[in-house]
Every structure is written in structure tokens, then in C-alpha cells.
Amino acid sequence: MCFRNERSSTSKVYHCRHKSSWTRATAACILVYEKVTTEGIIPEDGITIVRNPAAVYPLTATHNGKEVAIFMNRLRQVSALLLAAALLLVAACSAAPTTPVDNGSGEEDEIPAVGGEITYGMTGEPVILNPLLATDSPSSWVNNRVYAGLVRADENLQLEPYVAKNWEYSEDGLEWTFFLRDDVYFHDGEQLTADDVVYTYESILHPEYTGARASLYSAIDEVVAEGEHTVQFILDEPFVPLLSNLTIGILPSHLFEDTPVAEMRELNVNIEPIGAGPYMFKEWDSGQRIILERNPDFFLDGPYIEQVRVRMYGDEQVMLASLEAGDIDLLGSIPPDDVDRMMDEYADRFEFHHLQDNGYSYLGLKQTDPVLEDVRVRQALLYGMDRQGMVDNILNGQGTVMNANIPPFSWAHNEDLNPYEYDPDTAVELLEEAGWTEIDSDGIRRNEEGGRLEIQVVTSTGNTLREDTLLIAQQELADIGVDLQPDFYEWSVLLNQYLDVAQFQAYMLGWSLGLDPDCYIYFHSSEGVNEDGNLVGYNDVEYSNPEVDELLERGRTTFDEEKRAEIYGEIQEILNEELPYLFMFSRDIVSAVSRDIRGMTMSNIGALFPEQWYVKTESAE
Amino acid sequence: MSAFILRRLVHMIPLLVGITLVSFLIMQIAPGDPVDLLTERNATAEERARVRTLYGLDRPLYVQYWIWLTNMLQGDFGHSYVRGRPVLEMIAERLPNTVYLNLVVSVLIYSVAIPIGVASALRQYSTFDHTVTGTAFLGQALPNFWFGLLLIYGIALRTEAIPVGGIATYGVTLAEHGVWPVLVDRIRHLLLPVIVMGFSAMAGVTRYMRSGMLEVIRKDYVRTARAKGLNERIVIYKHAMRNALLPIVTIVGFQLPVLFSGSVIIENIFSWPGLGTLSVDAVFMRDYMVVMAFNVIGATLVILGNFIADILYVVVDPRISYE
């Protein structure tokens, strides 16, 4: 199942797609570079793939008896390519005869054909189809199809080339050079060049930019076009996490540059967007649907599906009913209570994917609060809550308890953390150690000074997950003598009066994480509240630990992934011990995909590579 | 009469200005700030100030109001802070859907509820009356979202012909399919929302009509009409019903703003692209320009509705005159 990319002139690129049992965990899709001179290498023939988990490269392939390596993660692949580009040849494709295959869909025999249409269901309506200005997930879903960024995430949440075919870092890590593909065109026919990339990033960095993404790019000092297809990012200081932010869609500068950046939001091209992604915008019927059409000139193989329709719903249950009625073919997330029923009733029509969300819910605790500044109290609170019980009851088991800030599927996750299993006795001991020894007639603890052990938690209205969690926590903590008082506020009021001014005792929210484990802005002491009372970063709990500060600084400037994993492992240990947050849990996102849709690559950030999706055709049956 | 109309029209202007002023102030004084929602949470004071200046939110309230008022009078309702689009454009694309649904529902309610109300009054305490009264109360008591979901799961999921939601099937257009298929498609989509909205609103009209009729039927002039040997039909429809309709006319006047206002619940349940969702989202996002446009439209319609009701009184009730 390999497709030759005919448009690529300098190197022949075989784009392979496969989802067999063994590649699923590592790479469902392997980009294989073939040296131009090695003619006659037909991926279908003479290739054997060997799996050896103990080896440096767990996947190896032989071609006509000669061994070649298949690089597992594309980041490493790219750097290795730079080193060994001349030597590297060939390789293999997924349809190896020796490969055990088990995905039940017969996919490996199919050749994707252009055609068909799919309908995706989403709750809510995109706000604005401009990646620089949009922050809502409905907009992102559409923008990810219409626009293309320099790099993009793969199923391991590693970054792979997209508009940029490769890149290199200067030795001091301050100059990042991106080499763009020369075959990328916007949907209006204009070529995507270095100028468009420069325009996109300069707009975000512009003092009059009105969106909410500037802080992700603050390490960039300057973006310079070096010729038509080369862009250089000049950094103030080495900042490794920047790469994961370069996924943002590139805007067509010719449609934007005549308008001042301050007025960008008012342009009509935000409603009828033009990008360079696999799908072209066709129409937007407000409150109803958005229609996207296949971009026949897309620079990678595909897309195959002729038309992608996005239907908008105001209610999750109704969207589910639409799925059952056959109006929509795929759904990003099924409400936890309906997962079992859906899987029972519709297993023949849909494939269900369970993936932990790249984010988590937490209770932020003000570290300077007289009650909460004692780490024993913070630990007691976590011991006093049955988080697994919450996952089982509120999320119907569709979730994972978190003990620090990096989810288990990340390469930076640390497994050896205190799990804080539900243990009211330990919680009581810790509270008594901390001086909360007296118990009042209402069952709430007091200390010697007569202070009452009460904690006010503020959160937003309209989120049943948080409401349920806090109500259960309230009851469980009352058992150990803590009076947890949840207060619910409308989102804008919550921000305006509590969070943005960092005035609270505790609050409950969730983080949606980026691709990089960097968590500097959440936990570095310099990201707290400044003299004017303004938040510098998101360290609104005002956590401060010089050791963590130092590790966070090193994490940002270290390029080597293994070393970074160690650094973030240590950070997780400390956070797990000191608990600036009560880490709660993350949801499992259960998505439903019609069995007619093939070629999808699932990841913790959703279904990837939309250009590879195709609809099963009759002839392929 | 025309002097009265003119006078009322002139009175509307200060009333409208007053309403917009009060709603402008309430909106601004209410906690929450669009700048917080537009900027990053950790935006510096300068960044916030810049966005504030860009949208003119840094000026004194009376200046902001004055600018808004003068622009509005020239037909410029401003741009949405969040979506960047002209407010009027956003409302205009949703308005027809809302009016369309409400119009169908209203026509249905009046054409069904009035005869039912009359009939149940004429047969007071009969089985028919009890059934009608009982059903009317049930309709009013059922929560819309619950009834709506019930219909979706009970009917839409079991019947091929009834869609789960939406306003029309994508691709069914007049140009391609002709009038008949488009009409059928529209009716299929209308059916469930109309049932839910009609059922809950019908109760009120039926009850009004029934009690109005009961009251009139006992009046002396009805007895006189019967006594002078008039046909029962003429007694009921000419003498009694015309008088019983008077309270209904008041409701028709108030119906005008209802016609233009969307219901968030109905829109969410039936994926109907109306004004309700737009207005509520605007309030939550503190999208002042959009909120104010809705306030102006709402206020205008309420005032106009009252005005129309007053005029209609004259038409249906010869005892009333505004000379």
C-alpha cells in the first residue's frame, strides 16, 4: 500500500499507510525516502520487515537481502536524514508479507480511491476560521483541514515535516532554519513561499495583534525569509518547545497584508478561508454546516474524500441521536454515560477509539494561603478524595487518574509517582500533624488558633464534570473534617474577578496540553503575580521552588529528548510531592468512526492526517 | 385616529432611547469584561489596554453610548468583538430561520387553538372539555427539552421520513430539485419543532379562548340574541365569538416580539440555526455590540407590538376609539 508522490521532484517519497497490530503502537505511517539513484526498488517486492524490540531500531527491513533501518520517530528520522542523507536508501512499506495483520477491516488490501463524502458532527459553531485568532476547538477542527503549518504532530505526538520538508538548528540553538517544500499552493493558486511564513509569524508577534496566542511565540526575536523557500527563526534564547507551536496554519499573506494587523479580525477571508491544507473551504451555513472540498493540488498524497461536511449541534445528546440515525459518520467524543450503550448497539456500524485526552482536571491551590501553604494539608486533601471512584462514577470509568502534570502516553511521563490512593486515615493523620486537631460540633476541624478548616473553591458554571467532582469531593472531605465550599461563576466573571487577578483560595479547571511537556508558565516562580498584581504566566497558584525553576529552565534549552525526559521526570516527582495542584484525572475521549471510513490515524489529540482518510469503495469490498 | 397613531409613534422615540440607555448601562455595569475573554489570561495591563482602546471600551460610558447611538441611527450596529463580523450581517443570516419557524407555529396555534377553545367552552365539563383542558395543561407542563428529546428518540430515530434536526437537507435546492421536493423536505424538518413549540404554546391560547367564550356566552346580549330566535350558529360566531376574541387580540400584539425571538432550547434540541443561540452566546461572551443589537430589536418589537394591539382593538371593538 504505497503511493508514489509524483509531484516531488528532488526525492521520491513513498507514503505508506498501515495500521497493523505492530505498527499501531509505533508508526501507522512511515515516510520512506528513496535515494534518486536507486532505481528499481519496488516497495511491494523483496522487502521483509523484521520486528526486534530490543534493537536500537526496533523495526528493520531488508530489501533484496540488504538491511535498512526504518526510523521510528520522525523527529529522529529527520535529524538522521540530515546526517546520513546520502547513504540512506530505500526502504520498505507496510504491506510486508510477514507482517501480522489484525485490524479487522480488510484495510490492507484496499487502494484508496478519490470519492465519497463524510459528515463530522461537532457541538458548537466555529468562531473564526483564522488559526491566529481562533482558540475554540470547533474552529481548530476546520482550520486543521483548511490550513497547513510548517510541522505537524504524528500519532506519537512527535513533530513531522509538513510544509517544511526539513529543518536544522544552529549550534547555539538560536537560529532555526526551515526548508519549505516548493510545491505548496494556496487554494487560490498562489504559491506558499517564505514570505507567507514570515507574514504569519510577524502578525502574531505584532504589537497590535488581537488574538490570544502571542505568548507561545515570545521566544522568537525575528523571522527572516532567506530566499523563496527558506525561513529562519532567530531566537532570543534557546527554546526547544517552540517547535511544537510551529504547527499553526500559514496564512496567505497576499490576502492579508493590505489590512492592518489590528483589523485582521474583520476580514471576510476569516469566514471564507483560503489556506494550503488538504481541504478547501466551500460554504458556511451559519448554525448548520460547513462544507469543505477536496484540494486536488495538495502537496502530499491525497486527499481522497471528495467532500467533508461539518454539522453543528447545540446538544450532545441530539448529536448522538444523529449519529445513530446515520446523519453523521464520525464524532469526536461520546458522552461518558452513553459509551457502553453505543458500543453495544452499534459495533457493526462504527469503530470506537478510546484515547486519553491530552489534558487534565485539577484543583489549583493558592500556595500562599494560610491554610493551604502547609504541604501536609495539600497532601491530606488528595488522600481524602477517591479520585478513581470519581472516574468510575462520574466518567463511567472513561478516564485516568493523574498524579502529576504529564499524561502517561507522553514520552516525558514519569511512572514512579506517589499514586495518592484514597486513604482517609492517612489524610486525617496528616491534618492532625499539621495542627488541625480539634473537631467542631459540625464535624469540621479547627486548629489551636481557632481557625476553621474551610476551603473555598471557585469554578465556572455549566460544566457538569466539575460540578459533580466538587460535590463528591465536598462529601468525601467532610468525612475527614474539611469544609470544601464550591462556588460557581459564569466564565467571564470567574476570569475577571478571580483567576485573572489571581485572587482565590482554590479553583477547579482543566488544562488542555500542548505537544511539548514544557510546563514553565504553570510552575516557574517568575510566572506568578508581579508587583502590579498582574499574572505574568499561568502560575496563578504562586508556586515557588528554586529547584523546579532551575529544572524548568533547563528543560526549555535542552535539545536531547532523553535528557529532557529525565528533567521532566524530576519535575513531576517534585510536583507530585508538593502539590501546587490537586491533580485529578483526565477524560478518555471515545470517538466513533463509521466503518466505511478508512485510513485514519488516531492519537491522543484526535484523528490525524485528514488527507489520508478515504471512504471504502464498492470495488474494494 | 391618524393623530393618535402619529402621537404614539412620536412617543416611541424617547421610550426607545430610554430603553437602550438603560440596557447599555446594565450590560456595562454587570461583572465580566469582553477584554478578559479576548486576551490571554496572562495578558499584561498594556496589552489589555490596547485591546480596550481598539474597541473603544476605554472611553467614558456616556461617550461610548453616544457613539453607539449615533452609529446605530445611521444603521451601523458595529462589529462583533469575537467574530469580527458586522452585527447586522450575523443577525440577518439567522433571522429568516427564526421568523419562518415562529410564523408556522403561530399560524398553527391560532388556527387550531381558537376553534378548540370555542368548542370546549360550548361543551363545558363534557369529556371533550376535560380532555382538552387536561392536554392543554400537559402541554404547558412538559419541559420542551425533554419532550423534544422524547420525540427525537421516539419518532425521528424510528422513522426514515423524519430527520433528527436541522432546517433542510444539504443539497436539496429549488434549482436542482424543483418546488415539490424542497417543500416536502422543509416540512419534514419543521414537523418536530413545530409540534413541541405548538404543544406548549397552544395551552395558553386555548385557555384564553375558552374562558373568554364562557364569559361572553352568559352575557345578556347572547341571551337576547337567542330569545329573538336567531340561528345558534349566528349567535355563537357573530354575537359571542367576536367579543370573546378581544383578549386574544392582546396576545397577538405581544406575539410580535416572540415571532422574532429564538428559543435556545428548541434551537439546541433541533439544531435549528435561529437567533436564540446567537443572542445567548453573545451575552456569555460579553459581545456588547451583538447584545445591544438584540436589545434594540427586542425593544422596538415590544413597543410596536403594543401599538399594533391598540390599533387592533379599534378594529375589533367598536366601543373603543382613540379620538
Side-chain angles (χ1 to χ4, degrees), chain A residues 362 364-368 498-504 507 511 519-530 533-546 548-549 552 575 579-581, chain B residues 41-42:
Chain A
Y362 66 97
L365 306 179
K366 192 59 134 186
Q367 303 293 298
T368 52
Y498 295 94
L499 302 189
D500 285 359
V501 287
Q503 298 291 336
F504 53 80
Y507 71 96
W511 281 124
C519 43
Y520 187 97
I521 54 170
Y522 311 124
F523 301 116
H524 195 280
S525 59
S526 68
E527 301 284 313
V529 179
N530 63 13
N534 281 321
L535 265 184
V536 179
Y538 291 109
N539 186 1
D540 42 19
V541 295
E542 294 178 75
Y543 176 65
S544 172
N545 179 336
V548 171
D549 284 357
L552 285 167
L575 296 180
L579 300 177
Y581 293 169
Chain B
R41 268 187 57 203
N42 58 345

Short mmCIF file of all heavy atoms in Angstrom, two decimals, chain A residues 362 364-368 498-504 507 511 519-530 533-546 548-549 552 575 579-581, chain B residues 41-42:
data_model
loop_
_atom_site.label_atom_id
_atom_site.label_comp_id
_atom_site.label_asym_id
_atom_site.label_seq_id
_atom_site.Cartn_x
_atom_site.Cartn_y
_atom_site.Cartn_z
N TYR A 362 -7.91 19.73 37.45
CA TYR A 362 -7.15 19.89 38.68
C TYR A 362 -7.80 20.94 39.56
O TYR A 362 -8.63 21.73 39.10
CB TYR A 362 -5.71 20.34 38.36
CG TYR A 362 -5.65 21.72 37.75
CD1 TYR A 362 -5.39 22.85 38.54
CD2 TYR A 362 -5.89 21.91 36.41
CE1 TYR A 362 -5.37 24.12 37.99
CE2 TYR A 362 -5.86 23.17 35.85
CZ TYR A 362 -5.60 24.27 36.63
OH TYR A 362 -5.60 25.53 36.08
N GLY A 364 -6.47 24.00 41.60
CA GLY A 364 -5.32 24.85 41.87
C GLY A 364 -5.41 25.38 43.29
O GLY A 364 -6.46 25.86 43.71
N LEU A 365 -4.33 25.23 44.05
CA LEU A 365 -4.35 25.66 45.45
C LEU A 365 -3.40 26.85 45.65
O LEU A 365 -2.22 26.75 45.31
CB LEU A 365 -3.90 24.51 46.37
CG LEU A 365 -4.65 23.20 46.22
CD1 LEU A 365 -4.05 22.17 47.18
CD2 LEU A 365 -6.13 23.37 46.50
N LYS A 366 -3.91 27.93 46.17
CA LYS A 366 -3.08 29.10 46.41
C LYS A 366 -2.00 28.73 47.43
O LYS A 366 -2.30 28.41 48.58
CB LYS A 366 -3.97 30.23 46.94
CG LYS A 366 -3.30 31.57 46.97
CD LYS A 366 -2.85 31.96 45.59
CE LYS A 366 -3.21 33.38 45.25
NZ LYS A 366 -2.89 33.70 43.86
N GLN A 367 -0.73 28.77 46.98
CA GLN A 367 0.36 28.28 47.82
C GLN A 367 0.63 29.20 49.00
O GLN A 367 1.28 28.81 49.96
CB GLN A 367 1.62 28.09 46.98
CG GLN A 367 1.44 27.17 45.81
CD GLN A 367 1.17 25.74 46.22
OE1 GLN A 367 2.00 25.10 46.86
NE2 GLN A 367 0.00 25.22 45.90
N THR A 368 0.17 30.44 48.91
CA THR A 368 0.44 31.39 49.97
C THR A 368 -0.73 31.50 50.94
O THR A 368 -0.68 32.26 51.90
CB THR A 368 0.70 32.78 49.36
OG1 THR A 368 -0.39 33.09 48.47
CG2 THR A 368 1.98 32.79 48.55
N TYR A 498 -11.65 36.51 39.73
CA TYR A 498 -10.85 35.55 40.50
C TYR A 498 -9.55 35.17 39.80
O TYR A 498 -8.47 35.40 40.32
CB TYR A 498 -11.68 34.29 40.79
CG TYR A 498 -12.86 34.59 41.69
CD1 TYR A 498 -14.10 34.86 41.14
CD2 TYR A 498 -12.71 34.62 43.07
CE1 TYR A 498 -15.18 35.16 41.96
CE2 TYR A 498 -13.77 34.93 43.89
CZ TYR A 498 -15.01 35.19 43.34
OH TYR A 498 -16.06 35.49 44.14
N LEU A 499 -9.66 34.58 38.63
CA LEU A 499 -8.47 33.95 38.05
C LEU A 499 -7.48 34.95 37.47
O LEU A 499 -6.29 34.87 37.75
CB LEU A 499 -8.88 32.94 36.98
CG LEU A 499 -9.80 31.83 37.48
CD1 LEU A 499 -9.97 30.77 36.42
CD2 LEU A 499 -9.25 31.19 38.75
N ASP A 500 -7.96 35.90 36.67
CA ASP A 500 -7.03 36.84 36.05
C ASP A 500 -6.33 37.72 37.08
O ASP A 500 -5.24 38.22 36.84
CB ASP A 500 -7.76 37.73 35.03
CG ASP A 500 -8.07 36.97 33.75
OD1 ASP A 500 -7.70 35.79 33.69
OD2 ASP A 500 -8.67 37.54 32.84
N VAL A 501 -6.98 37.92 38.22
CA VAL A 501 -6.34 38.73 39.25
C VAL A 501 -5.70 37.84 40.32
O VAL A 501 -5.19 38.33 41.31
CB VAL A 501 -7.37 39.70 39.89
CG1 VAL A 501 -7.69 40.82 38.91
CG2 VAL A 501 -8.64 38.98 40.28
N ALA A 502 -5.75 36.51 40.07
CA ALA A 502 -5.12 35.53 40.97
C ALA A 502 -5.62 35.67 42.41
O ALA A 502 -4.87 35.53 43.36
CB ALA A 502 -3.60 35.62 40.91
N GLN A 503 -6.87 36.01 42.59
CA GLN A 503 -7.45 36.16 43.92
C GLN A 503 -8.41 35.01 44.19
O GLN A 503 -9.55 35.04 43.75
CB GLN A 503 -8.24 37.49 44.00
CG GLN A 503 -7.41 38.72 43.80
CD GLN A 503 -6.45 38.96 44.95
OE1 GLN A 503 -6.68 38.51 46.06
NE2 GLN A 503 -5.36 39.67 44.68
N PHE A 504 -7.90 34.00 44.87
CA PHE A 504 -8.77 32.85 45.20
C PHE A 504 -8.03 32.04 46.24
O PHE A 504 -6.82 32.21 46.44
CB PHE A 504 -9.03 32.00 43.95
CG PHE A 504 -7.76 31.58 43.26
CD1 PHE A 504 -7.02 30.50 43.73
CD2 PHE A 504 -7.26 32.28 42.16
CE1 PHE A 504 -5.83 30.13 43.13
CE2 PHE A 504 -6.07 31.92 41.56
CZ PHE A 504 -5.37 30.84 42.04
N TYR A 507 -9.23 26.88 43.07
CA TYR A 507 -10.15 26.88 41.94
C TYR A 507 -10.03 25.57 41.22
O TYR A 507 -9.03 24.86 41.31
CB TYR A 507 -9.86 28.06 40.99
CG TYR A 507 -8.59 27.93 40.19
CD1 TYR A 507 -8.60 27.43 38.90
CD2 TYR A 507 -7.36 28.29 40.73
CE1 TYR A 507 -7.44 27.29 38.16
CE2 TYR A 507 -6.19 28.18 40.02
CZ TYR A 507 -6.23 27.67 38.72
OH TYR A 507 -5.07 27.54 38.01
N TRP A 511 -6.61 21.77 32.19
CA TRP A 511 -5.65 22.23 31.19
C TRP A 511 -5.75 21.33 29.98
O TRP A 511 -5.84 20.12 30.10
CB TRP A 511 -4.20 22.15 31.71
CG TRP A 511 -3.80 23.27 32.61
CD1 TRP A 511 -3.31 23.13 33.88
CD2 TRP A 511 -3.81 24.67 32.34
NE1 TRP A 511 -3.04 24.36 34.42
CE2 TRP A 511 -3.33 25.33 33.50
CE3 TRP A 511 -4.19 25.43 31.25
CZ2 TRP A 511 -3.22 26.71 33.58
CZ3 TRP A 511 -4.08 26.81 31.33
CH2 TRP A 511 -3.60 27.44 32.49
N CYS A 519 6.38 23.00 30.99
CA CYS A 519 5.31 23.50 31.86
C CYS A 519 5.80 24.70 32.65
O CYS A 519 5.38 24.95 33.78
CB CYS A 519 4.81 22.39 32.78
SG CYS A 519 6.11 21.40 33.51
N TYR A 520 6.73 25.42 32.04
CA TYR A 520 7.35 26.59 32.65
C TYR A 520 6.31 27.61 33.10
O TYR A 520 6.31 28.08 34.23
CB TYR A 520 8.28 27.20 31.60
CG TYR A 520 9.16 28.33 32.03
CD1 TYR A 520 10.48 28.09 32.40
CD2 TYR A 520 8.70 29.64 32.03
CE1 TYR A 520 11.31 29.12 32.77
CE2 TYR A 520 9.53 30.68 32.40
CZ TYR A 520 10.84 30.42 32.77
OH TYR A 520 11.66 31.45 33.13
N ILE A 521 5.39 27.95 32.18
CA ILE A 521 4.46 29.03 32.52
C ILE A 521 3.49 28.65 33.62
O ILE A 521 2.86 29.51 34.21
CB ILE A 521 3.67 29.53 31.29
CG1 ILE A 521 2.97 28.38 30.59
CG2 ILE A 521 4.56 30.28 30.32
CD1 ILE A 521 2.00 28.86 29.53
N TYR A 522 3.37 27.37 33.94
CA TYR A 522 2.47 26.99 35.02
C TYR A 522 3.16 26.96 36.37
O TYR A 522 2.53 27.22 37.39
CB TYR A 522 1.86 25.60 34.78
CG TYR A 522 1.29 25.40 33.39
CD1 TYR A 522 1.73 24.37 32.59
CD2 TYR A 522 0.31 26.26 32.92
CE1 TYR A 522 1.21 24.19 31.32
CE2 TYR A 522 -0.22 26.10 31.65
CZ TYR A 522 0.24 25.06 30.86
OH TYR A 522 -0.28 24.88 29.60
N PHE A 523 4.43 26.58 36.39
CA PHE A 523 5.05 26.30 37.68
C PHE A 523 6.32 27.08 37.98
O PHE A 523 6.88 26.94 39.05
CB PHE A 523 5.33 24.78 37.80
CG PHE A 523 4.09 23.94 37.66
CD1 PHE A 523 3.93 23.06 36.60
CD2 PHE A 523 3.06 24.06 38.58
CE1 PHE A 523 2.78 22.30 36.47
CE2 PHE A 523 1.90 23.31 38.46
CZ PHE A 523 1.77 22.42 37.40
N HIS A 524 6.81 27.88 37.03
CA HIS A 524 8.01 28.65 37.33
C HIS A 524 7.64 29.84 38.18
O HIS A 524 6.62 30.50 37.94
CB HIS A 524 8.68 29.11 36.02
CG HIS A 524 10.08 29.60 36.20
ND1 HIS A 524 10.35 30.86 36.67
CD2 HIS A 524 11.27 28.99 36.00
CE1 HIS A 524 11.67 31.01 36.74
NE2 HIS A 524 12.25 29.89 36.33
N SER A 525 8.48 30.15 39.18
CA SER A 525 8.11 31.19 40.13
C SER A 525 7.99 32.56 39.46
O SER A 525 7.26 33.42 39.94
CB SER A 525 9.13 31.25 41.26
OG SER A 525 10.41 31.52 40.72
N SER A 526 8.70 32.76 38.33
CA SER A 526 8.61 34.07 37.68
C SER A 526 7.30 34.25 36.92
O SER A 526 7.02 35.32 36.40
CB SER A 526 9.78 34.23 36.70
OG SER A 526 9.61 33.33 35.63
N GLU A 527 6.49 33.20 36.82
CA GLU A 527 5.26 33.28 36.05
C GLU A 527 4.04 33.53 36.94
O GLU A 527 2.90 33.34 36.54
CB GLU A 527 5.05 32.00 35.23
CG GLU A 527 6.18 31.71 34.26
CD GLU A 527 6.13 32.59 33.02
OE1 GLU A 527 5.06 32.74 32.43
OE2 GLU A 527 7.19 33.16 32.67
N GLY A 528 4.30 33.91 38.18
CA GLY A 528 3.20 34.18 39.10
C GLY A 528 2.66 35.59 38.94
O GLY A 528 2.44 36.07 37.85
N VAL A 529 2.47 36.25 40.08
CA VAL A 529 1.87 37.58 40.07
C VAL A 529 2.97 38.62 40.24
O VAL A 529 3.84 38.47 41.10
CB VAL A 529 0.85 37.69 41.23
CG1 VAL A 529 0.21 39.06 41.26
CG2 VAL A 529 -0.20 36.61 41.09
N ASN A 530 2.97 39.66 39.41
CA ASN A 530 4.00 40.70 39.54
C ASN A 530 3.57 41.77 40.54
O ASN A 530 2.49 41.69 41.13
CB ASN A 530 4.35 41.29 38.17
CG ASN A 530 3.16 42.00 37.54
OD1 ASN A 530 2.15 42.26 38.20
ND2 ASN A 530 3.27 42.31 36.27
N GLY A 533 0.20 43.21 40.56
CA GLY A 533 -0.93 42.31 40.79
C GLY A 533 -1.40 41.62 39.53
O GLY A 533 -2.44 40.98 39.53
N ASN A 534 -0.62 41.76 38.44
CA ASN A 534 -1.00 41.08 37.21
C ASN A 534 -0.33 39.72 37.10
O ASN A 534 0.79 39.54 37.54
CB ASN A 534 -0.58 41.91 35.99
CG ASN A 534 -1.53 43.04 35.73
OD1 ASN A 534 -2.74 42.89 35.88
ND2 ASN A 534 -0.98 44.18 35.36
N LEU A 535 -1.03 38.79 36.46
CA LEU A 535 -0.45 37.48 36.20
C LEU A 535 0.60 37.61 35.11
O LEU A 535 0.34 38.21 34.08
CB LEU A 535 -1.53 36.54 35.70
CG LEU A 535 -2.25 35.63 36.67
CD1 LEU A 535 -3.19 34.73 35.91
CD2 LEU A 535 -1.23 34.80 37.43
N VAL A 536 1.77 37.03 35.36
CA VAL A 536 2.79 37.04 34.32
C VAL A 536 2.57 35.85 33.39
O VAL A 536 2.49 35.99 32.18
CB VAL A 536 4.20 37.00 34.94
CG1 VAL A 536 5.26 36.98 33.85
CG2 VAL A 536 4.39 38.19 35.87
N GLY A 537 2.45 34.67 33.99
CA GLY A 537 2.17 33.47 33.19
C GLY A 537 0.89 32.86 33.72
O GLY A 537 -0.07 33.58 33.97
N TYR A 538 0.89 31.54 33.91
CA TYR A 538 -0.30 30.90 34.45
C TYR A 538 -0.05 30.33 35.84
O TYR A 538 -0.79 29.49 36.30
CB TYR A 538 -0.80 29.82 33.50
CG TYR A 538 -1.35 30.40 32.22
CD1 TYR A 538 -0.67 30.26 31.03
CD2 TYR A 538 -2.54 31.11 32.23
CE1 TYR A 538 -1.17 30.81 29.86
CE2 TYR A 538 -3.05 31.66 31.07
CZ TYR A 538 -2.36 31.51 29.89
OH TYR A 538 -2.86 32.06 28.75
N ASN A 539 1.02 30.76 36.46
CA ASN A 539 1.30 30.27 37.80
C ASN A 539 0.45 31.07 38.79
O ASN A 539 0.96 31.76 39.67
CB ASN A 539 2.80 30.41 38.11
CG ASN A 539 3.19 29.78 39.43
OD1 ASN A 539 2.35 29.21 40.13
ND2 ASN A 539 4.46 29.90 39.78
N ASP A 540 -0.86 30.94 38.64
CA ASP A 540 -1.76 31.73 39.47
C ASP A 540 -1.81 31.21 40.90
O ASP A 540 -2.28 31.91 41.79
CB ASP A 540 -3.15 31.81 38.84
CG ASP A 540 -3.60 30.48 38.29
OD1 ASP A 540 -3.03 29.45 38.69
OD2 ASP A 540 -4.52 30.45 37.46
N VAL A 541 -1.35 29.97 41.11
CA VAL A 541 -1.32 29.46 42.48
C VAL A 541 -0.08 29.96 43.23
O VAL A 541 0.08 29.72 44.42
CB VAL A 541 -1.35 27.91 42.52
CG1 VAL A 541 -2.66 27.40 41.96
CG2 VAL A 541 -0.18 27.32 41.77
N GLU A 542 0.80 30.64 42.50
CA GLU A 542 2.03 31.21 43.05
C GLU A 542 2.91 30.15 43.70
O GLU A 542 3.36 30.28 44.83
CB GLU A 542 1.70 32.36 44.02
CG GLU A 542 1.05 33.53 43.27
CD GLU A 542 0.66 34.66 44.20
OE1 GLU A 542 1.56 35.38 44.63
OE2 GLU A 542 -0.55 34.81 44.48
N TYR A 543 3.14 29.09 42.96
CA TYR A 543 4.05 28.03 43.39
C TYR A 543 5.48 28.51 43.19
O TYR A 543 5.78 29.15 42.18
CB TYR A 543 3.80 26.78 42.54
CG TYR A 543 4.73 25.64 42.81
CD1 TYR A 543 4.72 25.00 44.05
CD2 TYR A 543 5.61 25.20 41.85
CE1 TYR A 543 5.57 23.94 44.31
CE2 TYR A 543 6.47 24.13 42.09
CZ TYR A 543 6.44 23.51 43.33
OH TYR A 543 7.29 22.47 43.57
N SER A 544 6.33 28.21 44.13
CA SER A 544 7.70 28.68 44.02
C SER A 544 8.66 27.66 44.62
O SER A 544 8.59 27.36 45.80
CB SER A 544 7.83 30.03 44.74
OG SER A 544 9.17 30.39 44.78
N ASN A 545 9.52 27.13 43.77
CA ASN A 545 10.52 26.17 44.21
C ASN A 545 11.74 26.34 43.31
O ASN A 545 11.67 26.06 42.12
CB ASN A 545 9.94 24.75 44.10
CG ASN A 545 10.95 23.70 44.51
OD1 ASN A 545 12.17 23.91 44.47
ND2 ASN A 545 10.45 22.55 44.92
N PRO A 546 12.86 26.82 43.88
CA PRO A 546 14.05 27.11 43.07
C PRO A 546 14.54 25.91 42.28
O PRO A 546 15.01 26.06 41.15
CB PRO A 546 15.11 27.51 44.12
CG PRO A 546 14.35 27.84 45.35
CD PRO A 546 13.06 27.11 45.30
N VAL A 548 12.67 23.45 41.05
CA VAL A 548 11.79 23.30 39.89
C VAL A 548 12.09 24.40 38.86
O VAL A 548 12.15 24.15 37.66
CB VAL A 548 10.31 23.34 40.33
CG1 VAL A 548 9.40 23.41 39.13
CG2 VAL A 548 9.98 22.13 41.19
N ASP A 549 12.33 25.61 39.34
CA ASP A 549 12.66 26.72 38.44
C ASP A 549 13.86 26.34 37.57
O ASP A 549 13.84 26.51 36.35
CB ASP A 549 13.02 27.97 39.24
CG ASP A 549 11.78 28.65 39.80
OD1 ASP A 549 10.66 28.17 39.51
OD2 ASP A 549 11.91 29.66 40.52
N LEU A 552 13.01 23.61 35.08
CA LEU A 552 12.17 24.14 34.00
C LEU A 552 12.99 24.92 32.99
O LEU A 552 12.78 24.83 31.79
CB LEU A 552 11.06 25.03 34.58
CG LEU A 552 9.91 24.30 35.28
CD1 LEU A 552 9.06 25.27 36.08
CD2 LEU A 552 9.06 23.55 34.27
N LEU A 575 6.50 17.90 41.82
CA LEU A 575 5.12 18.40 41.83
C LEU A 575 4.20 17.39 42.50
O LEU A 575 3.26 17.76 43.22
CB LEU A 575 4.64 18.67 40.40
CG LEU A 575 5.36 19.78 39.63
CD1 LEU A 575 4.79 19.93 38.23
CD2 LEU A 575 5.28 21.11 40.38
N LEU A 579 2.52 19.23 45.40
CA LEU A 579 1.13 19.50 45.04
C LEU A 579 0.73 20.98 44.98
O LEU A 579 -0.09 21.43 45.77
CB LEU A 579 0.19 18.77 46.01
CG LEU A 579 0.32 17.25 46.04
CD1 LEU A 579 -0.62 16.66 47.08
CD2 LEU A 579 0.02 16.65 44.68
N PRO A 580 1.27 21.70 44.02
CA PRO A 580 0.71 23.03 43.78
C PRO A 580 -0.74 22.90 43.31
O PRO A 580 -1.55 23.78 43.55
CB PRO A 580 1.59 23.59 42.66
CG PRO A 580 2.28 22.42 42.04
CD PRO A 580 2.37 21.38 43.10
N TYR A 581 -1.02 21.83 42.65
CA TYR A 581 -2.37 21.48 42.24
C TYR A 581 -2.75 20.17 42.93
O TYR A 581 -1.88 19.34 43.19
CB TYR A 581 -2.45 21.16 40.74
CG TYR A 581 -2.21 22.27 39.76
CD1 TYR A 581 -2.06 21.97 38.41
CD2 TYR A 581 -2.16 23.60 40.15
CE1 TYR A 581 -1.86 22.95 37.47
CE2 TYR A 581 -1.95 24.60 39.20
CZ TYR A 581 -1.79 24.27 37.87
OH TYR A 581 -1.59 25.23 36.93
N ARG B 41 -5.06 35.04 29.29
CA ARG B 41 -5.29 35.25 30.72
C ARG B 41 -4.15 36.01 31.35
O ARG B 41 -4.32 36.76 32.29
CB ARG B 41 -5.49 33.91 31.42
CG ARG B 41 -6.94 33.51 31.50
CD ARG B 41 -7.07 32.28 32.35
NE ARG B 41 -6.51 32.49 33.67
CZ ARG B 41 -6.10 31.51 34.47
NH1 ARG B 41 -6.18 30.28 34.07
NH2 ARG B 41 -5.62 31.77 35.66
N ASN B 42 -2.93 35.79 30.83
CA ASN B 42 -1.79 36.45 31.45
C ASN B 42 -1.39 37.71 30.68
O ASN B 42 -0.27 38.16 30.78
CB ASN B 42 -0.61 35.48 31.53
CG ASN B 42 -0.21 34.96 30.17
OD1 ASN B 42 -0.97 35.09 29.22
ND2 ASN B 42 0.95 34.36 30.08
#
